[in-house]
Amino acid sequence: MSSDINFHSRMVGWAKVILPVMGIALLSTLFLFSRSSSDSNEIPFAQLSELAEEQRINAPEFSGVAADGSIIKISARSAQPLEGKLDTLSIDGPSLRLDSPDGTELTISAGEGLIDGPSRYAELSGLARLETSSGYMMETAGLRADLATGEIVSDGRLKVLAPFGELEAGNVSILVPSMDEGQQMHFTDGVRMLYQPQSRIEE
């Protein structure tokens, strides 16, 4: 009887470690889970304990290629499966980088977010800041990235500093229609523009 109880206890203990890791593994069908902040390929024993208690991975990194050829990389301070959804991750302090085929680089930082494996999208919220190598800087309540197509859409109004001045809009959609056209930005919903060709963000 005692051996049965011990066996059951060990099984429950291992399940607490294995289940959150399985959640991460399910997402790898879309994105490659690379490594944590440690250079070792093995999870440290300290992290195993953390997983068992909090179901959390520190400093995760994900990468993949969208249908338009864009390379997408997502990193965060930590990630953990949503309760009841092992294939959806809640991420803290996320950062997203998108390298378009035309050479344009785009980076987004936010306070929080999530990655939905089955629906293949990432949401970055809690004041999202977006910057492009072509000279655009934006702030909005949140951004949604389609990990399958590479399209990025804002959530709510946004303020933009651009090479030609400043503008406000209710929505922006950033996508790469084709390899020949390169990255495009579509601003809609009450666009207001202040034209100042010489305006730049001072470092």
Side-chain angles (χ1 to χ4, degrees):
M1 182 67 176
S2 177
S3 61
D4 291 340
I5 294 175
N6 290 336
F7 177 75
H8 177 73
S9 299
R10 287 197 298 270
M11 288 296 293
V12 171
W14 278 110
K16 290 181 179 179
V17 176
I18 293 171
L19 286 178
V21 176
M22 287 177 61
I24 304 293
L26 287 172
L27 282 175
S28 67
T29 58
L30 169 65
F31 274 70
L32 174 64
F33 177 72
S34 58
R35 61 179 181 272
S36 68
S37 56
S38 172
D39 292 332
S40 173
N41 291 325
E42 297 181 356
I43 301 175
F45 287 106
Q47 279 199 319
L48 285 177
S49 175
E50 184 178 16
L51 277 170
E53 294 180 5
E54 303 182 28
Q55 298 186 1
R56 185 176 67 184
I57 296 289
N58 285 327
E61 295 181 2
F62 309 88
S63 63
V65 180
D68 64 7
S70 298
I71 299 174
I72 303 175
K73 297 181 180 179
I74 301 176
S75 59
R77 285 194 294 267
S78 65
Q80 59 185 15
L82 288 181
E83 184 175 355
K85 293 185 178 180
L86 293 179
D87 50 8
T88 301
L89 287 179
S90 172
I91 49 179
D92 178 56
S95 176
L96 181 149
R97 174 171 171 167
L98 185 147
D99 296 332
S100 296
D102 66 352
T104 304
E105 297 176 1
L106 177 155
T107 57
I108 303 172
S109 60
E112 58 191 16
L114 63 83
I115 301 175
D116 188 310
S119 299
R120 306 182 71 182
Y121 72 83
E123 287 185 356
L124 307 178
S125 56
L127 183 58
R129 292 183 172 88
L130 182 151
E131 184 173 357
T132 72
S133 59
S134 55
Y136 288 80
M137 297 183 68
M138 311 178 196
E139 284 191 354
T140 184
L143 292 157
R144 179 184 175 114
D146 189 321
L147 305 177
T149 65
E151 182 177 7
I152 295 174
V153 180
S154 66
D155 180 16
R157 294 194 63 82
L158 63 151
K159 294 184 178 181
V160 184
L161 293 178
F164 52 79
E166 302 178 9
L167 64 87
E168 294 185 12
N171 180 269
V172 65
S173 177
I174 304 172
L175 68 161
V176 180
S178 70
M179 299 289 188
D180 297 331
E181 294 180 81
Q183 189 180 83
Q184 296 183 5
M185 298 183 185
H186 296 167
F187 296 98
T188 58
D189 264 345
V191 179
R192 297 180 180 180
M193 183 178 70
L194 177 62
Y195 185 61
Q196 295 178 319
Q198 302 303 317
S199 66
R200 295 288 180 183
I201 299 296
E202 293 186 7
E203 299 293 339

